[in-house]
Amino acid sequence: DRSWRHDMPSCNIVFLSARPHVYKDVTEERSFQFLEGLVNAGRMHSFPTLLPGKLRAGLWTMLTIPFLRQHAWRRVGDLKYLTYLQYREMYSEYD
């Protein structure tokens, strides 16, 4: 981002997570702590946006992974892709 300035707020980094958003951000807290550490250490210039997964897709994966193996993750991957497309649509003026 060539237009980034340290004195101006910026959020041009987005992470897709498989962890669902549940009560009081319980599952996301670990990710937030890790990302906050990177920002505080100066390894990232701003705190990123975190797009969470869905509880249903994660539970389905955990229940079916013994039978479907790596294919059980397909729903999680598809959901991440759809989440990204929705996010991109909200900010279509940016590239």
Side-chain angles (χ1 to χ4, degrees):
D1 183 9
R2 296 171 196 209
S3 64
W4 177 78
R5 292 179 30 197
H6 72 347
D7 58 337
M8 303 275 302
S10 173
C11 181
N12 59 356
I13 304 170
V14 178
F15 285 104
L16 292 167
S17 174
R19 293 183 178 140
H21 176 76
V22 293
Y23 181 71
K24 292 190 177 183
D25 300 329
V26 172
T27 58
E28 295 145 313
E29 186 61 33
R30 190 174 198 181
S31 297
F32 284 133
Q33 288 174 353
F34 175 74
L35 296 171
E36 184 177 40
L38 292 176
V39 173
N40 290 341
R43 298 181 71 191
M44 287 177 46
H45 69 274
S46 68
F47 197 83
T49 298
L50 181 64
L51 302 178
K54 300 280 187 196
L55 184 60
R56 181 175 286 185
L59 290 175
W60 189 88
T61 299
M62 293 297 112
L63 292 173
T64 60
I65 204 162
F67 311 106
L68 299 177
R69 302 196 190 272
Q70 72 270 15
H71 299 291
W73 289 100
R74 179 65 188 237
R75 283 190 184 186
V76 172
D78 289 344
L79 180 63
K80 281 185 173 190
Y81 181 67
L82 291 174
T83 301
Y84 164 73
L85 292 178
Q86 291 170 349
Y87 180 82
R88 187 179 74 175
E89 184 67 28
M90 288 189 328
Y91 298 100
S92 60
E93 68 273 14
Y94 300 102
D95 54 9

